[in-house]
Amino acid sequence: TLDSGRLQCVAIGDVPVPSRARLLVQALRGTHLGQPGTWDAHESSYVVSCDTPPMLQIDGELHQARAREVTVQTRAAALTVIRLPATA
C-alpha cells in the first residue's frame, strides 16, 4: 500500500538474452512478476552489493555511489501522497 513503509524490489536474474528481451516487454506491460528468472519482495530496506560502485538515479538525477554496497531504506509516512479519484 502507499503508506506501508515498504518498497517493492524486482530483480531479474542471469537469464538468456531472448528471455531478457521478453521480460523487458512484460515489465513494460506489468506482467513480469512471477515469470521464471524474476524475484520480487516488499521490504523496508535493501542492501545492494556490486563489483564496483553502481550508478544510481536519485530524484531523476544520475549519481555514482561512493561504495560497492548501497543500502536503500524507506521512511513510513515521509511523503504526503495525493491520489486522484478514479474516473468512469
Side-chain angles (χ1 to χ4, degrees), residues 5-63:
R6 293 182 176 267
L7 179 67
Q8 182 181 21
C9 178
V10 178
I12 297 175
D14 189 15
V15 295
V17 172
S19 296
R20 274 186 245 161
R22 181 178 38 78
L23 283 170
L24 177 59
V25 171
Q26 289 173 328
L28 293 171
R29 294 181 180 151
T31 59
H32 58 294
L33 295 179
Q35 296 297 321
T38 65
W39 168 87
D40 78 302
H42 295 91
E43 302 292 340
S44 59
S45 68
Y46 296 93
V47 176
V48 179
S49 299
C50 302
D51 294 334
T52 60
M55 296 298 291
L56 306 169
Q57 188 175 23
I58 303 169
D59 291 334
E61 296 181 12
L62 199 56
H63 298 273

Side-chain angles (χ1 to χ4, degrees), residues 2-3 8 14 22 44-45 47 49 69 79-80 82-83 87:
L2 291 175
D3 58 355
Q8 182 181 21
D14 189 15
R22 181 178 38 78
S44 59
S45 68
V47 176
S49 299
E69 189 171 280
L79 299 173
T80 300
I82 300 170
R83 188 182 324 182
T87 57

